Amino acid sequence: MAIDEHSARAKRMPRLPQRPPKRTEIERSESADAAQVAEDQASREEGGRKVVATSSGKRRKSSLDPPMTTTARTLPLLVCSIGNPGTTYANTLHSAGHTVVNSLAAHLGYAQFRKERAFGNGLISRPAISGSTGDWTLWQSTSYMNESGKGLKAAFTAWSKHIPVGEEGRVVVIYDELEKPLGSVTVRTNQGASARGHNGLKSILKLMRDVPFARIGIGIGRPVSRESNEVARYVLKKMTPPEKEKIDGSVEEVVKKLQQLERG
């Protein structure tokens, strides 16, 4: 009878849920590996991007996705300065274009200027390391101001031969600009613009009628008197140290303008 009572009590007691057996460290590791394999198999390519489906059902971008980059097309530039040649006229206000282009070459880390006959006997400077900057060629006229057009035309002809067929480049002339504040930088791209009495621009416009070019004027101030003799004396005088500092200081602004011009 005791046995029967024990059996009856056992039937009335609720069954407790059985705990699953503890997994070993190896089993846990194998389970994690299996989940990773499943996740990798769920990854797929969408529109050139790798998207991974996670265990939560959400998608995340793979860390291997290539970065989104865009490369803006730029134009090769032939950056020219005009002025008077030789040490006698070096660093005069009328040769401010040469002063700026000398500073530009140093600012960009370009190679030293050297004369090239094919480029109208002008002085040429290019990047010291290929691909280190934009495709800019610096050229300085070695002619007198009123004969600038002949050398520039030859330089343009030689330079344009290196531009691939179907592409185009841009000529930029840097020159001194009377009546503008000392060291100021002015850009003109309209081809019908007047030379405004500048003999160097007159020569270029006469000999390069069919070649459009942009102008960057470097302000050299103005004399008190407007008499022609006083104006000539003013533009041909050597820059004072403060004046040269102002002219050299325009280089960073010139670089910004050139970057705008190379974008078309």
Side-chain angles (χ1 to χ4, degrees):
M1 189 65 183
I3 295 174
D4 293 339
E5 288 175 353
H6 178 74
S7 298
R9 284 196 301 272
K11 290 179 180 179
R12 290 194 297 270
M13 292 179 65
R15 290 180 176 271
L16 297 174
Q18 294 184 351
R19 294 181 179 178
K22 292 184 177 180
R23 295 188 300 173
T24 65
E25 186 66 30
I26 294 176
E27 289 173 331
R28 284 196 296 271
S29 177
E30 289 176 347
S31 176
D33 290 343
Q36 182 63 49
V37 170
E39 183 174 309
D40 291 343
Q41 289 175 343
S43 66
R44 61 193 178 278
E45 298 291 331
E46 289 187 1
R49 297 186 308 161
K50 190 173 183 180
V51 179
V52 179
T54 64
S55 57
S56 64
K58 296 181 179 180
R59 299 188 304 168
R60 63 178 172 83
K61 191 176 177 182
S62 168
S63 61
L64 299 178
D65 284 355
M68 298 285 289
T69 57
T70 56
T71 303
R73 176 179 172 272
T74 58
L75 300 175
L77 299 182
L78 178 61
V79 182
C80 311
S81 65
I82 55 177
N84 286 313
T87 56
T88 301
Y89 298 103
N91 293 322
T92 59
L93 288 172
H94 204 27
S95 294
H98 288 338
T99 301
V100 167
V101 170
N102 281 332
S103 296
L104 180 61
H107 181 83
L108 297 174
Y110 273 32
Q112 187 174 4
F113 281 94
R114 68 174 186 224
K115 183 177 284 191
E116 292 195 18
R117 184 175 180 180
F119 282 75
N121 282 323
L123 302 176
I124 290 285
S125 178
R126 299 182 179 88
I129 302 175
S130 179
S132 60
T133 61
D135 189 359
W136 301 355
T137 299
L138 307 185
W139 178 87
Q140 291 183 323
S141 170
T142 54
S143 304
Y144 283 96
M145 184 67 87
N146 59 354
E147 298 175 347
S148 301
K150 184 177 179 181
L152 182 51
K153 184 176 182 179
F156 170 74
T157 300
W159 171 75
S160 60
K161 290 177 181 178
H162 299 282
I163 298 176
V165 176
E167 296 186 13
E168 59 182 14
R170 194 164 202 172
V171 179
V172 183
V173 177
I174 300 180
Y175 65 102
D176 61 296
E177 191 161 26
L178 194 66
E179 304 287 346
K180 292 290 184 180
L182 188 69
S184 63
V185 178
T186 306
V187 177
R188 292 184 179 86
T189 56
N190 52 319
Q191 299 309 305
S194 164
R196 298 189 176 186
H198 195 287
N199 289 330
L201 292 179
K202 285 181 182 178
S203 176
I204 293 169
L205 289 169
K206 180 180 178 180
L207 294 177
M208 297 182 64
R209 295 181 182 180
D210 299 328
V211 180
F213 63 93
R215 311 177 190 183
I216 296 182
I218 308 299
I220 61 169
R222 46 169 279 188
V224 176
S225 173
R226 295 299 192 279
E227 291 184 11
S228 58
N229 289 340
E230 287 299 319
V231 171
R233 230 184 327 263
Y234 177 81
V235 299
L236 294 177
K237 76 181 184 70
K238 293 281 189 178
M239 300 178 196
T240 64
E243 287 174 335
K244 188 172 187 305
E245 185 177 358
K246 274 270 194 179
I247 298 296
D248 285 334
S250 69
V251 168
E252 290 188 2
E253 184 64 21
V254 169
V255 169
K256 291 178 183 177
K257 300 302 184 185
L258 290 172
Q259 289 172 338
Q260 292 171 3
L261 290 170
E262 76 173 351
R263 290 194 288 269

